């Protein structure tokens, strides 16, 4: 479907649905040096695949709206922080609640079907966290930091549901992760101490992100490609990717903890070893899944996680066994360079192979 305002600039795109497949064809010809860069650019322009002035206007409008909302919220927070002693208590909360209400009313006025309404609702979500922080700072309730983020995520959850914004869902999941992280640090004696159920901190975060990411992927896999459920989940594809990247980060931290601190887990229960093996299995499954789904972003994250784990293993081998530290640095550096280069070349060839399959 052509975009609004593109019918005159992109006649080829409006004449035939085949135009949507011209970009990979032209890209393939350019990579095979069958077209010069100038000819390829001209071909993309004629096919309607290059962004038009309307596309750039829409993109810049989105960037400026979200940036403006974030800067406005940051300005409100810093205004109250700088004038904390000068403002009376009633003024602090009246002004902050007034700004939050105005943002919510603007979202209602513009409706959530428009970008302005969505941005206003996102600003209201951020201001809700600022209001909770100021409340705790003013009354000194004695609440732990994790309660702020958990309460924040609970209060904004109805707004997140109706917002239809990937950014809002990413904010909500980030708050949950931060709240759980702070809670587990509060109730345990140390970062890697075992909990009463035998789970370590990385394993708890691993479970949270696995449920969110795995649940979305399972529902998407079981849904009909043209169903309403699949359409909704594809709309939140960036949020699913964000959950997957968080899961990768936790997987990497959990496996690194077992590699770097083997003596810590030597006399403990078997749970850390089992959890590390489970994380490796999930990492392998993660890699295979997105190799099949053809998602370069998450495949790149998987390669980065594997390179990090491999480098950590080499560091432990060479720097804890009495080896020459200079030789160890050279070997680790050589591994990082060679592994990164191999991963980049593999991902590039993979993308080219997908493009050729799409042309077949």
């Amino acid at each position: 479907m052509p975009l609004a305002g593109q019918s005159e600039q992109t006649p080829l795109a409006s004449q035939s649905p085949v135009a949507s497949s011209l970009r990979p064809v032209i890209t393939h010809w350019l990579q095979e040096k069958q077209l010069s860069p100038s000819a390829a650019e001209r071909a993309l322009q004629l096919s309607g695949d290059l962004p038009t002035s309307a596309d750039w206007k829409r993109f810049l409008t989105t960037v400026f709206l979200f940036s403006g909302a974030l800067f406005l919220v940051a300005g409100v927070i810093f205004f109250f922080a700088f004038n904390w002693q000068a403002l009376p208590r009633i003024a602090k909360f009246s002004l902050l609640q007034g700004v939050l209400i105005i943002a919510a009313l603007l979202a209602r006025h513009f409706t959530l079907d428009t970008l302005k309404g969505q941005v206003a609702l996102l600003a209201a979500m951020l201001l809700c966290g600022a209001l909770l922080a100021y409340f705790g700072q003013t009354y000194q309730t004695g609440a732990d930091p994790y309660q702020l983020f958990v309460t924040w995520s609970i209060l904004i959850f109805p707004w997140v549901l109706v917002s239809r914004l990937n950014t809002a869902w990413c904010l909500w999941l980030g708050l949950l992760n931060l709240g759980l992280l702070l809670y587990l640090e509060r109730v345990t004696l140390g970062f890697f101490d075992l909990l009463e159920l035998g789970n370590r901190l990385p394993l708890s975060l691993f479970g949270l992100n696995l449920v969110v990411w795995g649940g979305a992927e399972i529902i998407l896999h079981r849904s009909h490609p043209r169903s309403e459920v699949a359409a909704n989940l594809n709309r939140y594809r960036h949020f699913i990717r964000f959950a997957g990247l968080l899961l990768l980060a936790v997987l990497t931290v959990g496996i690194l903890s077992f590699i770097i601190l083997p003596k810590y887990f030597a006399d403990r229960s078997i749970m850390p070893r089992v959890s590390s093996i489970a994380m490796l299995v999930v990492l392998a499954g993660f890699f295979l899944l997105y190799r099949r789904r053809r998602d370069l972003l998450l495949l790149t994250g998987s390669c980065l996680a594997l390179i990090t784990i491999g480098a950590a293993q080499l560091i432990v081998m060479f720097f804890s066994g009495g080896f020459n530290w200079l030789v160890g640095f050279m070997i680790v550096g050589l591994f990082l360079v060679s592994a990164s280069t191999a991963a980049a070349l593999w991902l590039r060839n993979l993308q080219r192979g997908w493009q050729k399959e799409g042309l077949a």
Side-chain angles (χ1 to χ4, degrees):
M1 294 292 294
L3 295 172
Q6 282 188 325
S7 56
E8 296 182 1
Q9 290 94 340
T10 58
L12 293 179
S14 60
Q15 290 173 2
S16 172
V18 179
S20 61
S21 63
L22 290 179
R23 187 180 185 89
V25 173
I26 296 171
T27 304
H28 175 68
W29 288 344
L30 178 62
Q31 292 174 346
E32 297 296 328
K33 298 183 179 180
Q34 297 178 6
L35 282 178
S36 64
S38 58
E41 183 178 0
R42 180 59 178 164
L44 288 172
Q45 185 178 7
L46 292 174
S47 68
D49 285 323
L50 282 182
T52 62
S53 57
D55 297 326
W56 279 109
K57 181 179 179 181
R58 188 179 301 108
F59 170 74
L60 292 176
T61 300
T62 303
V63 171
F64 289 151
L65 273 176
F66 277 96
S67 301
L70 292 176
F71 289 142
L72 178 62
V73 172
V76 170
I77 293 174
F78 283 109
F79 170 79
F80 284 99
F82 184 79
N83 300 282
W84 185 259
Q85 300 297 332
L87 292 172
R89 182 176 300 177
I90 186 65
K92 297 174 186 176
F93 287 98
S94 298
L95 291 174
L96 191 55
Q97 291 175 19
V99 175
L100 192 154
I101 292 172
I102 290 173
L105 290 177
L106 285 175
R108 185 180 184 276
H109 172 72
F110 291 115
T111 74
L112 298 179
D113 293 327
T114 64
L115 185 62
K116 294 179 181 179
Q118 293 174 345
V119 171
L121 187 60
L122 180 63
M125 295 179 197
L126 297 173
L127 289 169
C128 180
L131 180 60
L132 290 175
Y134 287 141
F135 181 85
Q137 182 67 25
T138 301
Y139 293 102
Q140 297 294 327
T141 58
D144 293 312
Y146 76 88
Q147 294 177 343
L148 165 66
F149 296 100
V150 173
T151 305
W152 186 1
S153 65
I154 293 173
L155 290 178
I156 68 172
F157 185 66
W159 284 346
V160 173
L161 280 176
V162 300
S163 68
R164 300 193 295 274
L165 268 176
N166 281 278
T167 310
W169 281 100
C170 292
L171 172 64
W172 175 77
L173 183 59
L175 292 175
L176 282 183
N177 276 269
L178 189 55
L180 180 59
L181 175 67
L182 294 174
Y183 170 74
L184 293 176
E185 284 189 328
R186 172 69 176 81
V187 299
T188 56
L189 298 176
F191 189 82
F192 291 108
D193 280 349
L194 302 178
L195 302 181
E196 61 274 9
L197 297 179
N199 294 337
R200 290 179 296 124
L201 177 63
L203 187 59
S204 303
L205 292 173
F206 165 74
L208 169 64
N209 293 289
L210 181 63
V211 168
V212 175
W213 168 81
E217 287 290 353
I218 290 173
I219 295 174
L220 185 61
H221 177 71
R222 292 182 175 273
S223 303
H224 191 274
R226 297 184 179 180
S227 66
E228 184 178 354
V229 175
N232 289 331
L233 284 177
N234 283 319
R235 181 186 304 167
Y236 298 114
R237 192 67 202 167
H238 294 303
F239 165 67
I240 298 175
R241 285 175 171 173
F242 178 72
L245 291 175
L246 284 178
L247 179 62
L248 272 177
V250 176
L251 283 170
T252 306
V253 171
I255 297 172
L256 288 180
S257 66
F258 187 77
I259 294 174
I260 298 175
L261 304 172
K263 295 181 180 179
Y264 182 87
F265 299 113
D267 300 329
R268 302 270 175 160
S269 66
I270 198 174
M271 189 64 190
R273 296 184 179 86
V274 174
S275 64
S276 296
I277 295 174
M279 289 180 181
L280 277 173
V281 171
V282 172
L283 180 58
F286 195 95
F287 192 87
L288 294 175
L289 171 66
Y290 287 107
R291 169 68 175 82
R292 182 179 178 182
R293 291 279 181 88
R294 301 184 175 186
D295 194 319
L296 277 180
L297 174 64
L298 292 173
L299 277 179
T300 304
S302 302
C303 292
L304 179 61
L306 291 173
I307 292 172
T308 305
I309 293 170
Q313 185 65 65
L314 288 176
I315 290 173
V316 171
M317 287 174 55
F318 289 107
F319 290 93
S320 62
F323 285 89
N324 188 303
W325 64 269
L326 182 58
V327 176
F329 273 122
M330 292 178 61
I331 293 177
V332 172
L334 180 62
F335 168 77
L336 289 174
V337 172
S338 58
S340 301
T341 304
L345 292 175
W346 179 75
L347 290 170
R348 184 179 179 183
N349 292 332
L350 198 63
Q351 184 185 24
R352 288 183 175 180
W354 291 344
Q355 289 178 348
K356 290 180 180 179
E357 290 179 13
L359 298 176

